[in-house]
Each structure stands twice: as structure tokens, then as C-alpha cells.
Amino acid sequence: MTKLNWGMIGGGEGSQIGPAHRLGAQADGNFVLAAGALDMDAEKGRAYAQSLGVAADRAYANWQEMLEGERAREDRVDLVTVATPNSTHFEITKAFLEAGFNVLCEKPMTMTVEEGEEIVRVAEASGTICAVNYCYSAYPMVREMRQMVKTGQIGKVRLVVANFSHGHHGDASDADNPRVRWRYDPAMAGVSGQFADCGIHALNMASFIAGDEVRSLSADFASTIPSRTLEDDAMVNFRMEGGTVGRLWTSSVAIGRQHGFDIQVFGETGGMRWASEQPNQVFYTPVGGRTQIMEKGEAGLSDEAARLSRVAIAHPEGFPLAVANIYVDLAAAIRGDARNALPSATDGLRSMAAVYAAVESAKADGTWVDARPPMLR
Ligand code: NAI
């Protein structure tokens, strides 16, 4: 099959998420890195792109040049990944969608609910694909859990408990480090710190597995390091449209927790647990029965879990290959085979509405707030 042309904005040398995208996009041979504006430093970005094999005339100084250069080409990129800091996502994503490019945008998709609604409208009007990188939803065993809920294997979901709590910003003596400080500064991060950074991954996964959307929430935010304006810890209770009860804890000061993302789903006839630090297993307990460890690659899993796994049972398959699964589904969608599990602009919008609802609730001592975006009420 012919390879698709892929372009990247941000994710330059030394960035956190850039390597996962490069490994992910190219893991299955679907995409070739054909163009890029990889760095806020134009020369550094051009040089790095060329070192990755991008032709000199497609190693752009900035995204505006890339937009102009690519839209004029016959072999324009089939997909653009936006992996820049949060406050730039809206402008870049919107411009590329309007020009007819497919986009994979990093989370959070936008900084406001209004911007999120605008992206959903623009993507619909342009007929392009706009996906958001909720990559944890693409682990094979997360897809298995979703499938188990869908096929009634744990009955109606009563309760979802999700945590995304790490301790990497828990050292008060490091709080002024520029790489840490911006995340808690409203001028750079927006209205929310930890909840917008990590909490939305957990909330998205709760919806993804339960097959239901968040309707309302009540939040308690804390800035446990006093120099921080935005929260570094949050507890959020939520209710889903179908009545499922949700609990979510997210923190960046939970010293000793490393990645710290796990989720438990409790239904009327069974419960399941998955953790990103052991992503190849799901612990499943049927009501009245014994706990079973379900293993990626074993017989009897759903087609969805099987198709997204590449290596044999018991061989670890981790984060970059979960990102790769997003690209597998994007390649299929670009080639005309729609994938309904691909995280969409609507998912990005729902997250932003939940962020604003949580901020409003936290300011009002945990009052319950409607967490749905106005356009989806
Ligand atoms: P970073 O600060 O490590 O890297 C950002 C990169 O973008 C740098 O190479 C920088 O030079 C470049 N850049 C900045 N402004 C640019 C511009 N206007 N044009 C072109 N390049 C530009 O940031 P990090 O941690 O890689 O985060 C980037 C995005 O990815 C954020 O939105 C973050 O929330 C998201 N992220 C998502 C993760 C996930 O699990 N889906 C995990 C980590 C980050």
C-alpha cells in the first residue's frame, strides 16, 4: 500500500511527546515524515527535520510557512500532527482544517470551550478528519475493556473510578523550574493546571470504556505548593448521562506514584481494573467468581484488541505503540475505512467543557455543574 505523507508541527528535538509521535506514526509503515515545522526556533527545527529525512524545501521555519508550502503541493501531507504547547493548538489546528488537511491534535485540543466548538464546526464543514491524541484509549486491553462493556460482560456500569496521579511536581524546591512553573501559571496554562493536563485523559477514558458521556460534575481543587496559582491536585466526582457514578483523582504531587494512571470499572455483574504501568493486563472479576488476569495476545480476546497488538503474548507493548494505534486508525480513516474508536474533536470539546465546569465547581465549593458543551446539550 502506498505510504501516506505525514507532517508534524512541534515535537522538536528534546520535546517530551515528539518521539512517541515519530515512533507511532512510522511503526506500521503507514506514514512517512514528509514535512515539518518542528521547533519554535526556526533554524533548529529546520535542521532537525532534515536530520530525520525531511527534504530541505519541506523543512519549514514555522507552521504558517508549512501551511502555504504544503497547500500548494500535489503531494501535500495527508495528515498534520500538532504537538506544540497547548495555547497554540487552536490556531494551528483551525488553519490546517480550513485548508483541507486532516489533523491529529495533542490534548488539550483548545484553551476554551468556544474554541473547541469552533474546531468541531470547522472539521465538520471541511469534511476533514480531526482527531485528538487520547492515546491511552488505544491500548489493546483498554479496547478490550470497552468491548466487554459493549457486549454486556459486566452488565450495566454502576461506577467508574479513575486516577491519573503522579509525583513529578511534588518537590517544592523545583517549583520555579521553568519546565514545571508554566503548568501552574494561568497566563501559560489557562484556567486549570493538573486537571487539564492529566485529569482529562482519565475522564476521557472513563467515557471511552463506559460508552457514556459526562453530564455533570463536582470538583475540589488544591494548590498544595503555595506558590502555585493553579491546582496541582484535584478530586472530581461526576455523573454520566446513563447514570453511571464517576470518581476521579488527579495529582502531580503524589510523590512515589510514577505514571499513576489507572481505571476501575464496576458493573452489575463484574468489575475490571487496568493500569498504564501494566498496560498488557486487565484484572477481571465476575460477580461471585474468581479474579482472572486477561493478557494482551491471548486467545479469546475481541477482534479490536487483537488487531491492535503486534507482538506475541507476554512481550511488552507499551506507550509508543498505543500512539501507533491512533495512527493505524488514522491511516485507515484517511484511506476511507472509518474507525469509530478514534478520539475525535468532539471528545476534545467535551474535555474542555469538563475543565471549565470543574474550575467553576471548585470555585463554588464543589457545587454540581453541567459539564456538557453548550452545543451538545
Ligand atoms: P515540550 O515543551 O517538551 O515540546 C514542545 C515542542 O514544540 C518543542 O520542540 C518546541 O520547540 C515546539 N514548539 C513550540 N512552539 C512551537 C510553534 N509555534 N511552532 C512549532 N514548534 C513549536 O512539550 P510536550 O511536553 O512535548 O507537549 C506538547 C503537547 O503535547 C502539549 O499540548 C501536551 O499537553 C501534549 N502531551 C500529550 C501527551 C499525551 O499523552 N497525549 C503527553 C505529553 C504531552
Side-chain angles (χ1 to χ4, degrees):
M1 204 173 282
T2 338
K3 290 203 181 207
L4 298 166
N5 283 327
W6 175 53
M8 194 174 185
I9 301 168
E13 192 168 18
S15 66
Q16 191 189 344
I17 199 68
H21 281 284
R22 282 187 285 281
L23 289 167
Q26 298 176 105
D28 298 276
N30 287 312
F31 293 96
V32 60
L33 182 62
L38 301 184
D39 206 287
M40 61 198 295
D41 177 328
E43 274 325 300
K44 218 177 129 198
R46 294 198 67 236
Y48 189 51
Q50 288 173 78
S51 79
L52 296 170
V54 175
D57 65 333
R58 297 178 90 175
Y60 298 98
N62 54 53
W63 67 265
Q64 291 92 342
E65 257 188 28
M66 179 164 151
L67 181 62
E68 289 318 308
E70 288 300 309
R71 77 188 332 164
R73 298 182 69 100
E74 289 262 305
D75 61 346
R76 61 185 352 218
V77 285
D78 299 289
L79 172 71
V80 176
T81 292
V82 180
T84 50
N86 304 354
S87 62
T88 62
H89 293 174
F90 172 66
E91 187 184 22
I92 302 174
T93 298
K94 183 172 180 236
F96 276 86
L97 291 174
E98 280 174 340
F101 291 92
N102 301 307
V103 175
L104 171 63
C105 182
E106 261 307 341
K107 44 58 59 177
M109 182 175 79
T110 58
M111 299 291 279
T112 68
V113 179
E114 293 72 23
E115 289 172 354
E117 294 194 333
E118 179 73 0
I119 293 291
V120 169
R121 274 193 291 267
V122 171
E124 269 169 21
S126 62
T128 51
I129 298 163
C130 181
V132 179
N133 195 29
Y134 287 119
C135 46
Y136 301 99
S137 69
Y139 275 106
M141 295 311 284
V142 172
R143 295 286 173 99
E144 181 67 20
M145 291 170 84
R146 182 183 204 234
Q147 204 59 25
M148 286 176 72
V149 170
K150 223 180 197 173
T151 52
Q153 292 180 60
I154 63 164
K156 184 174 166 21
V157 177
R158 290 176 175 147
L159 183 62
V160 180
V161 181
N163 303 300
F164 196 161
S165 296
H166 65 80
H168 301 299
H169 304 155
D171 181 356
S173 68
D174 192 42
D176 239 9
N177 174 342
R179 291 203 66 155
V180 175
R181 194 181 51 214
W182 76 265
R183 293 171 188 275
Y184 306 97
D185 175 356
M188 304 280 283
V191 295
S192 160
Q194 177 62 15
F195 185 63
D197 192 28
C198 293
I200 59 172
H201 270 301
L203 198 65
N204 175 266
M205 193 182 285
S207 290
F208 184 79
I209 294 174
D212 201 354
E213 302 297 346
V214 176
R215 183 187 175 87
S216 59
L217 59 74
S218 157
D220 177 33
F221 280 11
S223 306
T224 66
I225 294 190
S227 62
R228 289 179 178 158
T229 308
L230 298 177
E231 85 287 355
D232 54 17
D233 186 281
M235 187 63 90
V236 178
N237 283 307
F238 57 96
R239 295 287 187 278
M240 304 184 100
E241 300 278 11
T244 298
V245 174
R247 320 269 184 217
L248 187 155
W249 172 47
T250 187
S251 184
S252 65
V253 295
I255 294 169
R257 283 182 68 110
Q258 299 300 340
H259 192 245
F261 185 5
D262 55 61
I263 189 159
Q264 290 168 275
V265 183
F266 303 103
E268 287 171 339
T269 60
M272 301 185 282
R273 175 181 186 276
W274 175 88
S276 71
E277 292 174 29
Q278 291 90 34
N280 298 321
Q281 282 121 27
V282 168
F283 289 70
Y284 162 59
T285 313
V287 65
R290 295 170 72 172
T291 299
Q292 303 162 27
I293 301 176
M294 297 166 55
E295 184 84 29
K296 175 196 73 71
E298 71 187 9
L301 298 184
S302 63
D303 292 348
E304 184 65 0
R307 92 177 164 85
L308 294 173
S309 170
R310 296 157 191 78
V311 294
I313 186 165
H315 292 299
E317 201 166 357
F319 182 67
L321 291 181
V323 177
N325 287 338
I326 297 287
Y327 283 94
V328 166
D329 283 356
L330 276 166
I334 291 167
R335 291 176 174 136
D337 180 7
R339 296 290 187 193
N340 64 10
L342 198 55
S344 67
T346 304
D347 295 318
L349 165 63
R350 286 188 191 278
S351 299
M352 205 28 65
V355 166
Y356 275 76
V359 171
E360 184 187 334
S361 169
K363 280 187 181 147
D365 289 333
T367 303
W368 282 82
V369 171
D370 193 328
R372 298 167 300 170
M375 76 163 15
L376 299 173
R377 284 181 191 173

